[in-house]
Amino acid sequence: DVRAAVNLLLKKGFRPGDIGIHGSSYGAAVTLLATEDIAEIGAIVADSAFASMDDVVSGELKRQTGLPPVVSQLLMPGLSLVGETHYGVDITQSTPEQSIGQISPRPILLIHGEQDLVIPYEHAQRLQKAAGNNVELWTLPTKHVEGIRLSDNCRLAPMRNNFLAKVSQFFDTHLVTSDSAKAPVLHQP
């Protein structure tokens, strides 16, 4: 899907390097995985990305069932098999943590909430370490992807305006086009 969207923008006259991509949660992980192989993407924002899927699945098993880590680890081969047979995804293979280092020198903005229980903040720290010099980590005092979304009662989340300003500034800084046109930004939810 990411490749198809980039190809469409290129056909519309956008130049390689003038395209930004923004992903949230699983979409952030997909953004990092896809960008490794799509050189035309010039800048990446990854909000609440995981470093590796098997770590998230193992952590969710522990969090939702209360099982000790050793039991979760015993269940992982079966869960991996289900993921591979039903969805064609091997959660132990290509990971955002492996891919992020290959994106350099393109700039990356990682956004993560310190109180994220779905994808713990430690994942953002691992991604930052694996990325090297081309990454900025913006830590929010929030839970999972709460910087951008609407709050439960349909009012804007308190961080939303700051979030939009920060992301816009990141893309404005790193996706400067020669003809002063705004570069497109793909959003991968």
Side-chain angles (χ1 to χ4, degrees):
D1 290 347
V2 175
R3 176 81 258 173
V6 168
N7 286 345
L8 177 67
L9 292 170
L10 293 170
K11 284 180 185 175
K12 291 187 177 268
F14 291 95
R15 291 183 316 267
D18 287 347
I19 299 168
I21 185 166
H22 173 211
S24 298
S25 192
Y26 186 76
V30 169
T31 294
L32 295 170
L33 291 166
T35 301
E36 176 184 8
D37 296 322
I38 304 174
E40 296 89 349
I41 295 173
I44 303 95
V45 173
D47 180 5
S48 304
F50 56 80
S52 78
M53 177 65 100
D54 57 334
D55 290 345
V56 172
V57 171
S58 179
E60 277 298 292
L61 269 173
K62 181 182 175 195
R63 188 173 75 84
Q64 291 190 20
T65 66
L67 293 171
V70 69
V71 175
S72 295
Q73 291 304 315
L74 291 172
L75 294 174
M76 285 306 295
L79 292 172
S80 293
L81 180 62
V82 169
E84 193 164 346
T85 57
H86 286 291
Y87 303 106
V89 176
D90 183 350
I91 65 173
T92 63
Q93 289 303 306
S94 184
T95 67
E97 190 170 21
Q98 294 166 336
S99 295
I100 198 167
Q102 305 306 311
I103 296 171
S104 185
R106 294 173 283 174
I108 302 167
L109 173 61
L110 297 174
I111 303 170
H112 215 101
E114 294 177 298
Q115 301 166 27
D116 193 334
L117 298 177
V118 177
I119 301 172
Y121 181 73
E122 174 257 337
H123 283 258
Q125 293 171 315
R126 287 169 49 192
L127 288 168
Q128 181 183 33
K129 182 178 179 184
N133 297 337
N134 64 328
V135 70
E136 174 186 351
L137 174 57
W138 184 31
T139 303
L140 301 176
T142 61
K143 295 179 183 173
H144 190 64
V145 296
E146 284 187 335
I148 184 63
R149 76 170 135 190
L150 296 172
S151 63
D152 293 335
N153 59 5
C154 294
R155 288 184 287 173
L156 294 180
M159 292 289 303
R160 187 176 173 90
N161 288 339
N162 290 344
F163 183 97
L164 293 173
K166 175 83 171 183
V167 170
S168 295
Q169 179 187 20
F170 176 80
F171 284 127
D172 286 346
T173 299
H174 296 291
L175 296 176
V176 179
T177 60
S178 61
D179 60 4
S180 299
K182 283 281 187 187
V185 175
L186 305 174
H187 179 71
Q188 184 72 24

